[in-house]
Amino acid sequence: MDKITITRPDDWHLHLRDGDALKAVLPDTARRFARAIVMPNLRPPVTTTALAAEYRQRILDALQKPTVRPERVEGQHISTARQMQGERFSFEPLMTVYLTDNTTVAEIEKASTSGFVRAVKYYPAGATTNSDSGVTDLNKCNQVFEAMQALGMPLLMHGEVTDGDVDMFDRECVFIDRHLKPLLEKYPALKVVFEHITTKDAAEFVASAPSNVAATITPHHLLMNRNAMFSGGIRPHHYCLPILKREEHRIALVKAATSGSPKFFLGTDSAPHAKSAKEASCGCAGMYSSHAGIELYAEVFEAANGLDKLEAFASFYGADFYGLPRNKDQISLVKEAWTVPESIIFAGDVLVPLRAGQTVAWKMV
Ligand code: NCD
Ligand code: ZN
């Protein structure tokens, strides 16, 4: 097969940032995806429906005025992105509210009736980029979880413990036993998305959980194992959280994604950071993949002989889980290799996209 046409996909986990950074990255997503669940880890975080409404408006405004990427920029910074002027996108940002120790039931009720806040995001305090306001103890949120369960509001979990004595590579597994299982015992009907799962353990847990528990899987965790962080030297652009794991875990994730199970769906976790913030003595976590946000998944599904399963993973199961209509229009991909730019203009700096300077096998037409 060298051409596939699928229902337009959605991205169920995306970092769009704000301001000029937002304008720089948004067209990559809007060109491919009809909707995206937008992460609230701005600085300061999007902790209320009112803040989410303002952020949503800034995204909609940025859709009208995206950054025009030059065809050619001095030095190495060559962008192959076409001129954006005149392009019109029909993209819908699905907003999230950032859970803190102090989130109130009234705030959850407001979010639920807003019509545009679609989920609440849980970060363990200190787990990742801009998570200092995250939850310090899940028990502080019991009333909120009660309300979310009753309202059918999904809880999106960054599923890692933050304890310094837990090995970096075990943080997701420990989270399942220490936090996720007890939470679901207490609130068995709470809708939970175990975000960006990275281990066999998480895939198995989700597969055997009831239908109110699902997971998103990123393209990078499907494509790479932890060796990618150390090939020939330290590779900061392959550092993200949760961190890449062993090959056996990658294989389990591919199996889950291509299994046809409605519990697993697409969430890129595309997380842009300026090159200078990644290539630093203490580099930020996050990979940028929106420039090839569906194409990279096509590679994975093809390699696993599962291209026929791509559409449901990318375009059906997420919408079904969130109780939203499936998209009506379609996109097409052709099997035609193209070279990813070395860098992309990004808010007064550049960012280095996933596969920079290398090829991606599928191309959107
Ligand atoms: C994300 C970011 O940069 O906002 N980074 C990442 O490595 N995925 C935060 C997150 O989702 O953990
Ligand atoms: Zn994320």
Side-chain angles (χ1 to χ4, degrees):
M1 240 191 303
D2 42 21
K3 182 172 181 187
I4 50 170
T5 298
I6 59 169
T7 301
R8 182 174 292 278
D10 302 303
D11 186 346
W12 300 99
H13 183 129
L14 177 66
H15 298 270
L16 280 176
R17 312 306 190 205
D18 211 346
D20 288 344
L22 164 66
K23 288 185 189 148
V25 297
L26 181 58
D28 279 341
T29 290
R31 196 175 279 134
R32 292 166 176 80
F33 299 97
R35 298 170 289 198
I37 283 279
V38 181
M39 289 296 127
N41 63 331
L42 303 182
R43 221 177 252 282
V46 181
T47 49
T48 63
T49 300
L51 288 170
E54 289 170 20
Y55 185 28
R56 178 173 177 271
Q57 192 55 52
R58 294 198 296 279
I59 297 168
L60 295 175
D61 292 346
L63 272 180
Q64 304 307 316
K65 290 193 194 115
T67 298
V68 177
R69 275 192 212 148
E71 284 292 321
R72 204 162 270 276
V73 185
E74 294 210 353
Q76 290 288 340
H77 310 146
I78 295 170
S79 167
T80 56
R82 281 148 293 155
Q83 298 284 316
M84 240 77 79
Q85 252 159 3
E87 264 191 78
R88 282 285 164 268
F89 302 109
S90 62
F91 170 75
E92 193 189 348
L94 308 173
M95 307 311 291
T96 59
V97 161
Y98 186 114
L99 185 66
T100 72
D101 287 351
N102 306 314
T103 304
T104 61
V105 169
E107 196 57 59
I108 298 299
E109 285 164 352
K110 223 185 269 176
S112 175
T113 51
S114 72
F116 57 84
V117 175
R118 299 293 179 180
V120 173
K121 176 72 194 227
Y122 161 80
Y123 289 104
T128 185
T129 310
N130 297 352
S131 64
D132 341 325
S133 321
V135 175
T136 59
D137 178 357
L138 278 169
N139 284 316
K140 294 196 172 160
C141 304
N142 281 333
Q143 284 168 330
V144 159
F145 295 146
E146 194 91 52
M148 288 175 65
Q149 176 172 252
L151 292 165
M153 173 67 84
L155 177 65
L156 314 184
M157 303 196 90
H158 183 111
E160 288 192 291
V161 296
T162 51
D163 317 48
D165 60 339
V166 177
D167 189 277
M168 182 77 178
F169 294 90
D170 297 336
R171 289 183 177 183
E172 186 173 279
C173 293
V174 174
F175 177 84
I176 298 172
D177 286 331
R178 236 184 242 181
H179 300 299
L180 188 52
K181 282 182 188 165
L183 181 76
L184 287 166
E185 267 159 37
K186 243 187 194 160
Y187 307 101
L190 182 65
K191 275 184 144 179
V192 170
V193 182
F194 196 167
E195 298 275 77
H196 41 51
I197 59 166
T198 63
T199 56
K200 188 168 179 250
D201 313 63
E204 283 171 359
F205 177 81
V206 170
S208 61
S211 63
N212 54 305
V213 180
T216 53
I217 312 184
T218 76
H220 43 281
H221 291 105
L222 291 167
L223 285 162
M224 294 184 285
N225 65 37
R226 64 192 198 174
N227 286 349
M229 286 185 292
F230 309 107
S231 62
I234 189 107
R235 300 285 179 176
H237 298 292
H238 290 160
Y239 171 58
C240 67
L241 290 170
I243 200 157
L244 295 173
K245 305 294 192 303
R246 284 176 182 276
E247 178 65 4
E248 64 179 297
H249 296 295
R250 189 192 70 80
I251 290 170
L253 296 176
V254 171
K255 200 173 141 213
T258 58
S259 67
S261 162
K263 306 181 123 279
F264 302 100
F265 44 84
L266 185 156
T268 61
D269 194 19
S270 180
H273 289 279
K275 185 179 184 200
S276 57
K278 295 279 300 168
E279 298 178 9
S281 62
C282 185
C284 295
M287 295 189 211
Y288 184 70
S289 60
S290 296
H291 61 296
I294 184 68
E295 297 89 328
L296 291 166
Y297 285 104
E299 280 189 6
V300 173
F301 279 66
E302 185 188 28
N305 274 322
L307 266 183
D308 58 321
K309 301 286 198 314
L310 178 64
E311 182 178 42
F313 173 83
S315 317
F316 297 163
Y317 298 150
D320 297 352
F321 184 85
Y322 278 84
L324 293 169
R326 295 177 178 180
N327 297 317
K328 298 258 183 310
D329 56 333
Q330 296 181 314
I331 61 159
S332 293
L333 302 172
V334 291
K335 185 88 186 283
E336 190 185 309
W338 57 283
T339 303
V340 174
E342 292 285 351
S343 58
I344 288 175
I345 304 295
F346 181 70
D349 200 321
V350 294
L351 68 79
V352 177
L354 195 56
R355 288 278 172 84
Q358 294 171 287
T359 59
V360 171
W362 288 83
K363 188 175 183 175
M364 215 181 77
V365 287

